[in-house]
Amino acid sequence: MTLAIFDLDETLISTDSDHAWGEFIVDQGLVDKTAYRETNEAFYKDYLRGELDIESYLVFCCSILSRFELSELHALRVNFVDSIIAPTILPKAVELVESHRSAGDFLMVITSTNQFISEPIVEMFGIKTLIAPEPEIKNGRYTGQILDTPSYGMGKVIRLNKWLGQHPLIMEGSYFYTDSHNDLPLLRMVDNPVAVDPDEILRKEAEQSQWQIISLR
């Protein structure tokens, strides 16, 4: 089976779900509006520049999870996905995923957005395999900590290699679709790197490397 890997944010959906979740919890009145929004924006700008401290960011965005019961968080997440994320699903992205499914390819999403947020979004595409930062749960509550290597930058390669070591699939013929230059390490690992509505840095690299460039917008 050919491995077809997709980034999530700004690739399959037309927003950054991590950043959008931060805005959502601000709008829900669950955090200090000014301080939280300013920090969320600062981290997002770091990400766009390729300068994100992923460990610090995950502590920031996962700390809210430790404040609530799982049932409360799941109710919030349903509201978030239905009201904020569902309208951002790109029809052409759905078609792309389905074309790989029809070809018999193995579908996977690798994202730096934590599993709590990304899992239900990925499920909407019918994709069962997700590699994402995994928030720790102890005694039925999130601790605010992350397990394993965060799947960001080179971390995506590390996590994918670990996954490949546990599954009978190989990288021959593999695809990876993403919008972000932060994903250059994984793009360089696959046989078919595809830049999707790429940021400026990725577009330049894709053009120089003669990678395919597509738009799902």
Side-chain angles (χ1 to χ4, degrees):
M1 298 177 73
T2 297
L3 189 57
I5 307 168
F6 304 88
D7 176 47
L8 177 61
D9 300 307
E10 303 289 359
T11 301
L12 295 181
I13 59 177
S14 62
T15 191
D16 185 293
S17 58
D18 232 350
H19 180 261
W21 169 257
E23 290 294 300
F24 175 77
I25 62 174
V26 166
D27 291 341
Q28 295 293 308
L30 302 177
V31 291
D32 179 88
K33 180 177 181 179
T34 301
Y36 198 93
R37 177 166 280 155
E38 286 179 355
T39 304
N40 195 40
E41 286 296 324
F43 275 123
Y44 185 55
K45 289 177 181 178
D46 287 347
Y47 168 80
L48 294 177
R49 289 193 299 267
E51 300 172 358
L52 179 64
D53 180 338
I54 188 62
E55 302 283 354
S56 296
Y57 176 64
L58 287 171
V59 169
F60 166 73
C61 67
C62 290
S63 62
I64 187 72
L65 302 181
S66 65
R67 292 174 44 191
F68 297 94
E69 299 288 343
L70 291 182
S71 58
E72 296 174 300
L73 289 168
H74 290 162
L76 282 168
R77 187 175 64 179
V78 167
N79 184 7
F80 169 68
V81 171
D82 289 348
S83 63
I84 306 299
I85 298 301
T88 72
I89 290 178
L90 296 164
K92 289 184 179 180
V94 175
E95 292 174 8
L96 176 63
V97 169
E98 290 307 313
S99 71
H100 279 284
R101 196 191 314 275
S102 297
D105 298 338
F106 189 95
L107 309 180
M108 172 190 293
V109 168
I110 302 183
T111 178
S112 58
T113 296
N114 73 75
Q115 188 179 57
F116 171 77
I117 296 171
S118 58
E119 190 169 50
I121 306 172
V122 171
E123 288 175 354
M124 295 171 80
F125 287 87
I127 298 176
K128 298 180 180 179
T129 301
L130 167 66
I131 294 177
E134 302 175 31
E136 181 183 53
I137 297 178
K138 284 186 177 180
N139 301 318
R141 291 184 71 104
Y142 285 106
T143 66
Q145 300 301 310
I146 291 290
L147 301 172
D148 210 337
T149 302
S151 44
Y152 170 76
M154 191 62 192
K156 288 192 175 185
V157 173
I158 293 170
R159 291 286 302 279
L160 177 58
N161 280 332
K162 181 177 180 179
W163 185 91
L164 288 168
Q166 300 168 346
H167 297 83
L169 286 168
I170 59 175
M171 292 299 292
E172 183 176 355
S174 56
Y175 289 79
F176 179 42
Y177 297 88
T178 183
D179 71 295
S180 175
H181 70 280
N182 290 297
D183 288 331
L184 283 171
L186 183 50
L187 284 163
R188 292 172 177 140
M189 179 180 174
V190 299
D191 286 346
N192 297 287
V194 184
V196 182
D197 299 291
D199 62 40
E200 183 177 345
I201 297 173
L202 177 54
R203 180 175 293 278
K204 183 178 296 185
E205 178 67 27
E207 290 172 347
Q208 291 176 348
S209 302
Q210 296 185 320
W211 294 341
Q212 186 179 7
I213 301 173
I214 66 171
S215 176
L216 299 178
R217 305 299 175 108

